[in-house]
Amino acid sequence: MVICSASASADSWTEASGLLGAAGIDPNASKFMTDHNLKVGGWLNSSVGANMSSNGDGFNGPVTFNDRSGELQLNQLYLYLQKAINVNGDSFDIGGRVDVMYGTDAAFTQAYGSFGFDPGTLADSDRGNWDLNLSGHGERFYGLALPQAYAEFNLPFGNGIAVKAGHFYTPIGYEVVTAPDNFFITKPYTMQYGEPFTHTGILATYAFNPNWTVMGGAVTGSNSGGWDGNWDRDLGNWAWLGGVTWTSDDAGTSLAITSTAGERSENSKDTWAMYSIVGKHNFTDKLHYIIQHDHGFANNIWTGNASLAGLPDGREDAEWYGVNQYLIYDVNDKVSAGLRAEWFRDHNGIRVLGPGRCYAAAGTVGDNFACGSNYGANYVPFQEASGYYAVTAGLSYKPAKWLNLRPNVRYDFTDNAKAFDNGTRHNQFLVTADVVITF
């Protein structure tokens, strides 16, 4: 009896979806939460890495999120509260969600608003009042972000239309901000520099049947066509956001095409647009393949070889594009192995601007809190056409459903820009590991 009881206890400890559930104190099991269809959740994500190609500036080149070498990072201490809606064709329903993130990833997920690249705006732009200044700038790397705050509705037409209204994560691309939902620790260039992270606006989703789903809406709040929009900047400019997804009958193959397109800002009629194509296929129950292609466009914007302290040397139409491929093999129900190969082309030198944290922190008046008052001289933006390549290999080990350990190795190189080790190298080699603990 004692042995059986111990075995059952061990099973419940590893099979619970969250640490609190494993400990027998899951708040979502309470009567109040179940009666009101509420769910509270979150996770802790922490990483450490070594840059084998750095002379000590501390940054992993333009790699964001896990962007520091030789430092333990608390990337995401994440909490959310959600009331999910029942999507159906019979009755109206209302819900919503609010997310809060603290950690070193916050600077990459905040609403940038009208963060500009034209002369006189890069260092002093007033980007808005949503989450950029929630925690002040006393910490060089740590901050608060509110990446989602939206109401959600089910409109009882056809099979039911799900509508989000507020601030929410983008549906574009394959990899995402939320740490438990990615296989690899580090992010691809397409996600870091080719896509939006969040939007402010309205998005409706409709599933015709199990095979076909469409979405469409409008986003606002920034001077980059509704990317990472704020609540109080460029609200007069609205851009398209939407797409279509096809899924096979056995759900083993899918193809998603998403895009965003519109005028750049209230003061500019120039186009800012991109599309993403993501294909997935399960060769077997254990072997999974993903391919992604992104292509972005920005018309009549400032480009050129100039430091932050000087004036860019002209305007031109710019574009960026890339291809990622993934192969993931499930060794068993606890261990998976993965390989990612990527190529990203910043064709006009406007997307990849050196250590991402320096430029995410650049939109406040005064010193750059992440990279110092002289960051423009210390971290000169490349502003030159270049291809960026990376090969990443990693493992995912889940000794319990709420615990994920992910060691990664990654090799990056470029064909033009010296993007690594503070602008002195064309390549770098990273060894990184992280842990994700789901509450």
Side-chain angles (χ1 to χ4, degrees):
M1 291 293 292
V2 173
I3 294 175
C4 291
S5 175
S7 176
S9 176
D11 287 343
S12 66
W13 177 255
T14 59
E15 292 301 309
S17 60
L19 177 60
L20 295 179
I25 52 174
D26 183 4
N28 295 311
S30 70
K31 185 176 184 301
F32 176 84
M33 299 295 282
T34 56
D35 286 351
H36 293 85
N37 193 29
L38 294 173
K39 181 179 180 180
V40 62
W43 55 85
L44 182 148
N45 173 225
S46 183
S47 69
V48 65
N51 189 328
M52 304 301 182
S53 310
S54 174
N55 290 325
D57 79 333
F59 284 108
N60 294 326
V63 174
T64 59
F65 289 74
N66 308 86
D67 65 330
R68 298 291 292 171
S69 176
E71 297 180 18
L72 180 65
Q73 292 183 248
L74 172 59
N75 296 87
Q76 299 181 11
L77 176 58
Y78 203 105
L79 296 172
Y80 68 86
L81 176 64
Q82 180 177 23
K83 182 183 184 299
I85 59 171
N86 180 14
V87 181
N88 65 86
D90 299 322
S91 60
F92 176 82
D93 196 11
I94 185 170
R97 176 164 168 153
V98 177
D99 296 31
V100 181
M101 178 203 298
Y102 175 78
T104 58
D105 288 359
F108 304 116
T109 60
Q110 292 167 331
Y112 296 134
S114 291
F115 177 51
F117 289 92
D118 285 0
T121 65
L122 186 55
D124 298 325
S125 56
D126 182 2
R127 296 193 284 175
N129 299 309
W130 175 236
D131 57 0
L132 283 172
N133 303 308
L134 281 178
S135 54
H137 299 142
E139 293 284 346
R140 183 180 178 192
F141 300 126
Y142 286 83
L144 275 170
L146 298 176
Q148 296 201 112
Y150 63 82
E152 193 168 22
F153 309 92
N154 175 65
L155 305 181
F157 300 101
N159 297 323
I161 303 173
V163 179
K164 290 181 181 178
H167 190 66
F168 47 83
Y169 283 126
T170 187
I172 292 173
Y174 173 63
E175 298 202 39
V176 294
V177 168
T178 47
D181 302 315
N182 296 308
F183 184 87
F184 296 101
I185 307 165
T186 60
K187 307 297 188 289
Y189 287 96
T190 49
M191 179 197 172
Q192 295 173 106
Y193 298 105
E195 303 168 357
F197 290 151
T198 62
H199 302 283
T200 297
I202 301 172
L203 182 65
T205 303
Y206 183 78
F208 288 97
N209 52 48
N211 302 110
W212 291 96
T213 300
V214 297
M215 67 178 73
V219 292
T220 186
S222 76
N223 66 354
S224 52
W227 289 29
D228 306 302
N230 227 303
W231 296 90
D232 59 350
R233 295 291 182 274
D234 279 290
L235 299 184
N237 184 57
W238 291 82
W240 154 264
L241 173 67
V244 58
T245 301
W246 171 81
T247 305
S248 63
D249 289 336
D250 65 358
T253 305
S254 66
L255 182 67
I257 303 172
T258 49
S259 69
T260 179
E263 296 176 350
R264 188 152 55 93
S265 70
E266 289 181 338
N267 301 318
S268 172
K269 302 299 181 183
D270 300 318
T271 297
W272 187 287
M274 66 87 58
Y275 67 83
S276 179
I277 302 173
V278 178
K280 303 177 186 179
H281 180 68
N282 295 335
F283 288 111
T284 69
D285 290 342
K286 291 180 174 290
L287 185 61
H288 318 288
Y289 174 73
I290 302 99
I291 184 169
Q292 175 180 350
H293 164 58
D294 283 7
H295 198 157
F297 312 85
N299 291 345
N300 195 33
I301 63 170
W302 289 99
T303 61
N305 296 312
S307 71
L308 284 176
L311 295 179
D313 60 9
R315 289 181 181 268
E316 62 180 305
D317 295 342
E319 59 182 323
W320 57 92
Y321 41 86
V323 176
N324 302 341
Q325 295 188 80
Y326 305 74
L327 201 60
I328 298 173
Y329 182 73
D330 299 325
V331 179
N332 52 46
D333 61 352
K334 296 183 183 296
V335 178
S336 297
L339 183 67
R340 178 181 66 202
E342 56 176 302
W343 161 67
F344 181 77
R345 174 71 179 176
D346 186 2
H347 194 66
N348 303 84
I350 69 147
R351 297 305 301 162
V352 186
L353 297 174
R357 187 175 300 276
C358 296
Y359 301 97
T364 54
V365 176
D367 291 352
N368 182 292
F369 62 87
C371 298
S373 59
N374 201 30
Y375 78 102
N378 293 332
Y379 300 101
V380 176
F382 311 135
Q383 292 189 266
E384 57 183 323
S386 187
Y388 297 82
Y389 305 82
V391 178
T392 306
L395 293 175
S396 172
Y397 171 51
K398 295 183 177 180
K401 287 185 176 180
W402 49 268
L403 177 62
N404 193 2
L405 307 174
R406 301 184 297 189
N408 277 192
V409 293
R410 171 172 172 157
Y411 179 68
D412 293 64
F413 62 97
T414 65
D415 57 23
N416 189 21
K418 291 184 178 180
F420 310 105
D421 197 15
N422 199 14
T424 64
R425 297 177 62 97
H426 286 284
N427 57 56
Q428 71 177 8
F429 181 69
L430 302 178
V431 179
T432 312
D434 80 338
V435 59
V436 180
I437 300 172
T438 305
F439 303 142

